[in-house]
Short mmCIF file of all heavy atoms in Angstrom, two decimals:
data_model
loop_
_atom_site.label_atom_id
_atom_site.label_comp_id
_atom_site.label_asym_id
_atom_site.label_seq_id
_atom_site.Cartn_x
_atom_site.Cartn_y
_atom_site.Cartn_z
N CYS A 317 -52.31 41.28 -23.39
CA CYS A 317 -51.48 42.38 -23.85
C CYS A 317 -50.24 41.82 -24.53
O CYS A 317 -49.36 41.27 -23.86
CB CYS A 317 -51.14 43.31 -22.73
SG CYS A 317 -52.53 44.33 -22.24
N THR A 318 -50.27 41.91 -25.82
CA THR A 318 -49.49 41.02 -26.69
C THR A 318 -48.01 41.39 -26.87
O THR A 318 -47.15 40.51 -27.07
CB THR A 318 -50.06 41.06 -28.11
OG1 THR A 318 -50.42 42.36 -28.41
CG2 THR A 318 -51.30 40.13 -28.12
N GLY A 319 -47.61 42.66 -26.66
CA GLY A 319 -46.30 43.03 -26.89
C GLY A 319 -45.80 44.21 -26.02
O GLY A 319 -46.65 45.03 -25.55
N HIS A 320 -44.55 44.30 -25.71
CA HIS A 320 -44.07 45.33 -24.77
C HIS A 320 -44.10 46.74 -25.37
O HIS A 320 -43.83 46.89 -26.56
CB HIS A 320 -42.55 44.94 -24.43
CG HIS A 320 -42.14 45.56 -23.15
ND1 HIS A 320 -41.81 46.90 -23.05
CD2 HIS A 320 -42.01 45.11 -21.89
CE1 HIS A 320 -41.46 47.20 -21.85
NE2 HIS A 320 -41.55 46.11 -21.06
N GLY A 321 -44.22 47.72 -24.49
CA GLY A 321 -44.24 49.12 -24.95
C GLY A 321 -42.89 49.59 -25.60
O GLY A 321 -42.89 50.40 -26.49
N LEU A 322 -41.79 48.99 -25.16
CA LEU A 322 -40.52 49.35 -25.73
C LEU A 322 -40.44 49.02 -27.18
O LEU A 322 -39.56 49.60 -27.91
CB LEU A 322 -39.40 48.62 -24.99
CG LEU A 322 -39.01 49.18 -23.58
CD1 LEU A 322 -38.10 48.17 -22.87
CD2 LEU A 322 -38.28 50.49 -23.79
N LYS A 323 -41.27 48.19 -27.72
CA LYS A 323 -41.20 47.81 -29.10
C LYS A 323 -41.56 49.01 -30.02
O LYS A 323 -41.11 49.09 -31.12
CB LYS A 323 -42.35 46.82 -29.37
CG LYS A 323 -42.05 45.42 -28.80
CD LYS A 323 -41.06 44.68 -29.72
CE LYS A 323 -40.98 43.25 -29.32
NZ LYS A 323 -40.25 42.50 -30.32
N ASP A 324 -42.32 49.97 -29.46
CA ASP A 324 -42.71 51.08 -30.32
C ASP A 324 -42.58 52.41 -29.55
O ASP A 324 -43.58 53.03 -29.21
CB ASP A 324 -44.20 50.89 -30.72
CG ASP A 324 -44.67 51.82 -31.79
OD1 ASP A 324 -43.81 52.68 -32.21
OD2 ASP A 324 -45.76 51.63 -32.32
N PRO A 325 -41.33 52.83 -29.34
CA PRO A 325 -41.17 54.06 -28.60
C PRO A 325 -41.73 55.28 -29.27
O PRO A 325 -42.17 56.15 -28.61
CB PRO A 325 -39.61 54.20 -28.51
CG PRO A 325 -39.05 53.21 -29.49
CD PRO A 325 -40.07 52.18 -29.72
N ASP A 326 -41.80 55.23 -30.58
CA ASP A 326 -42.34 56.45 -31.30
C ASP A 326 -43.76 56.81 -30.85
O ASP A 326 -44.16 57.95 -30.86
CB ASP A 326 -42.38 56.20 -32.83
CG ASP A 326 -40.97 56.20 -33.40
OD1 ASP A 326 -39.97 56.66 -32.72
OD2 ASP A 326 -40.75 55.58 -34.44
N ALA A 327 -44.55 55.74 -30.56
CA ALA A 327 -45.93 55.94 -30.16
C ALA A 327 -46.13 56.89 -28.97
O ALA A 327 -47.10 57.50 -28.82
CB ALA A 327 -46.61 54.62 -30.01
N VAL A 328 -45.04 56.82 -28.10
CA VAL A 328 -45.06 57.64 -26.91
C VAL A 328 -44.26 58.87 -27.07
O VAL A 328 -44.55 59.90 -26.47
CB VAL A 328 -44.58 56.76 -25.68
CG1 VAL A 328 -44.32 57.61 -24.50
CG2 VAL A 328 -45.55 55.67 -25.41
N LEU A 329 -43.13 58.78 -27.80
CA LEU A 329 -42.20 59.92 -27.87
C LEU A 329 -42.78 61.13 -28.61
O LEU A 329 -42.18 62.19 -28.55
CB LEU A 329 -40.87 59.49 -28.51
CG LEU A 329 -40.06 58.57 -27.58
CD1 LEU A 329 -38.81 58.03 -28.30
CD2 LEU A 329 -39.72 59.23 -26.25
N ARG A 330 -43.97 60.97 -29.18
CA ARG A 330 -44.65 62.14 -29.70
C ARG A 330 -44.84 63.18 -28.65
O ARG A 330 -45.08 64.32 -28.86
CB ARG A 330 -45.99 61.81 -30.34
CG ARG A 330 -45.84 60.91 -31.55
CD ARG A 330 -47.17 60.71 -32.33
NE ARG A 330 -46.92 59.70 -33.32
CZ ARG A 330 -47.41 58.42 -33.21
NH1 ARG A 330 -48.15 58.10 -32.22
NH2 ARG A 330 -47.07 57.58 -34.15
N ARG A 331 -44.91 62.68 -27.36
CA ARG A 331 -45.15 63.56 -26.24
C ARG A 331 -43.95 64.34 -25.75
O ARG A 331 -44.04 65.14 -24.88
CB ARG A 331 -45.71 62.75 -25.11
CG ARG A 331 -47.16 62.33 -25.30
CD ARG A 331 -47.69 61.60 -24.08
NE ARG A 331 -48.29 60.32 -24.36
CZ ARG A 331 -48.32 59.26 -23.54
NH1 ARG A 331 -47.70 59.34 -22.39
NH2 ARG A 331 -48.88 58.19 -23.93
N THR A 332 -42.76 64.09 -26.38
CA THR A 332 -41.58 64.76 -25.85
C THR A 332 -41.69 66.31 -26.07
O THR A 332 -40.93 67.01 -25.50
CB THR A 332 -40.23 64.28 -26.54
OG1 THR A 332 -40.50 64.33 -27.95
CG2 THR A 332 -39.85 62.96 -26.05
N ALA A 333 -42.56 66.73 -26.91
CA ALA A 333 -42.75 68.17 -27.10
C ALA A 333 -43.18 68.83 -25.77
O ALA A 333 -42.81 70.05 -25.60
CB ALA A 333 -43.88 68.39 -28.15
N ASP A 334 -43.68 68.08 -24.91
CA ASP A 334 -44.15 68.65 -23.59
C ASP A 334 -43.05 68.64 -22.53
O ASP A 334 -43.20 69.10 -21.40
CB ASP A 334 -45.33 67.83 -23.01
CG ASP A 334 -46.43 67.67 -23.95
OD1 ASP A 334 -46.52 68.57 -24.86
OD2 ASP A 334 -47.20 66.72 -23.84
N LEU A 335 -41.89 68.14 -22.85
CA LEU A 335 -40.80 68.02 -21.90
C LEU A 335 -40.30 69.48 -21.43
O LEU A 335 -40.17 70.32 -22.29
CB LEU A 335 -39.56 67.31 -22.44
CG LEU A 335 -39.68 65.72 -22.57
CD1 LEU A 335 -38.39 65.17 -23.14
CD2 LEU A 335 -40.03 65.14 -21.24
N VAL A 336 -40.10 69.62 -20.14
CA VAL A 336 -39.53 70.92 -19.72
C VAL A 336 -38.02 70.70 -19.40
O VAL A 336 -37.61 69.65 -19.02
CB VAL A 336 -40.14 71.48 -18.48
CG1 VAL A 336 -41.58 71.89 -18.73
CG2 VAL A 336 -40.20 70.47 -17.32
N THR A 337 -37.25 71.77 -19.61
CA THR A 337 -35.78 71.77 -19.30
C THR A 337 -35.56 72.91 -18.31
O THR A 337 -36.11 73.98 -18.46
CB THR A 337 -35.00 71.97 -20.56
OG1 THR A 337 -35.44 71.04 -21.55
CG2 THR A 337 -33.52 71.82 -20.29
N VAL A 338 -34.71 72.52 -17.30
CA VAL A 338 -34.43 73.59 -16.27
C VAL A 338 -32.86 73.77 -16.16
O VAL A 338 -32.13 72.82 -16.42
CB VAL A 338 -35.00 73.27 -14.90
CG1 VAL A 338 -36.53 73.18 -14.94
CG2 VAL A 338 -34.37 72.00 -14.29
N PRO A 339 -32.51 74.96 -15.75
CA PRO A 339 -31.04 75.12 -15.43
C PRO A 339 -30.77 74.36 -14.09
O PRO A 339 -31.72 74.13 -13.33
CB PRO A 339 -30.92 76.63 -15.18
CG PRO A 339 -32.27 77.12 -14.98
CD PRO A 339 -33.24 76.23 -15.63
N PRO A 340 -29.51 73.94 -13.87
CA PRO A 340 -29.18 73.09 -12.68
C PRO A 340 -29.25 73.89 -11.35
O PRO A 340 -28.24 73.96 -10.67
CB PRO A 340 -27.79 72.54 -13.05
CG PRO A 340 -27.15 73.64 -13.85
CD PRO A 340 -28.21 74.27 -14.65
N ARG A 341 -30.38 74.43 -11.04
CA ARG A 341 -30.56 75.15 -9.76
C ARG A 341 -31.83 74.76 -9.10
O ARG A 341 -32.88 74.53 -9.79
CB ARG A 341 -30.69 76.70 -10.04
CG ARG A 341 -29.36 77.33 -10.39
CD ARG A 341 -29.50 78.89 -10.29
NE ARG A 341 -30.65 79.36 -11.02
CZ ARG A 341 -30.65 79.63 -12.32
NH1 ARG A 341 -29.52 79.58 -13.04
NH2 ARG A 341 -31.72 80.12 -12.88
N LEU A 342 -31.87 74.54 -7.75
CA LEU A 342 -32.99 74.09 -6.98
C LEU A 342 -34.23 74.94 -7.25
O LEU A 342 -35.33 74.38 -7.39
CB LEU A 342 -32.63 74.00 -5.53
CG LEU A 342 -33.78 73.42 -4.62
CD1 LEU A 342 -34.08 72.01 -4.97
CD2 LEU A 342 -33.40 73.49 -3.13
N ALA A 343 -34.05 76.20 -7.24
CA ALA A 343 -35.19 77.13 -7.34
C ALA A 343 -35.94 76.90 -8.64
O ALA A 343 -37.17 76.86 -8.70
CB ALA A 343 -34.74 78.61 -7.26
N ALA A 344 -35.12 76.64 -9.65
CA ALA A 344 -35.75 76.42 -11.00
C ALA A 344 -36.53 75.10 -10.96
O ALA A 344 -37.64 74.96 -11.54
CB ALA A 344 -34.69 76.36 -12.14
N LEU A 345 -35.98 74.06 -10.34
CA LEU A 345 -36.64 72.76 -10.19
C LEU A 345 -37.91 72.90 -9.39
O LEU A 345 -38.97 72.34 -9.76
CB LEU A 345 -35.68 71.77 -9.54
CG LEU A 345 -36.21 70.31 -9.45
CD1 LEU A 345 -36.52 69.74 -10.83
CD2 LEU A 345 -35.18 69.40 -8.69
N GLU A 346 -37.84 73.57 -8.24
CA GLU A 346 -39.09 73.85 -7.41
C GLU A 346 -40.14 74.49 -8.19
O GLU A 346 -41.35 74.09 -8.10
CB GLU A 346 -38.69 74.67 -6.19
CG GLU A 346 -37.92 73.89 -5.18
CD GLU A 346 -37.37 74.72 -4.01
OE1 GLU A 346 -37.25 76.03 -4.24
OE2 GLU A 346 -37.12 74.24 -2.94
N GLU A 347 -39.78 75.38 -9.05
CA GLU A 347 -40.78 76.16 -9.79
C GLU A 347 -41.52 75.20 -10.77
O GLU A 347 -42.77 75.43 -10.87
CB GLU A 347 -40.03 77.24 -10.62
CG GLU A 347 -41.00 78.26 -11.19
CD GLU A 347 -40.29 79.45 -11.88
OE1 GLU A 347 -39.31 79.90 -11.26
OE2 GLU A 347 -40.70 79.77 -12.98
#
Side-chain angles (χ1 to χ4, degrees):
C317 287
T318 43
H320 201 284
L322 281 167
K323 290 281 191 170
D324 193 355
D326 290 339
V328 168
L329 289 177
R330 291 187 192 109
R331 287 185 229 148
T332 48
D334 308 334
L335 286 180
V336 290
T337 307
V338 296
R341 285 194 312 272
L342 183 61
L345 184 60
E346 284 171 339
E347 194 174 314

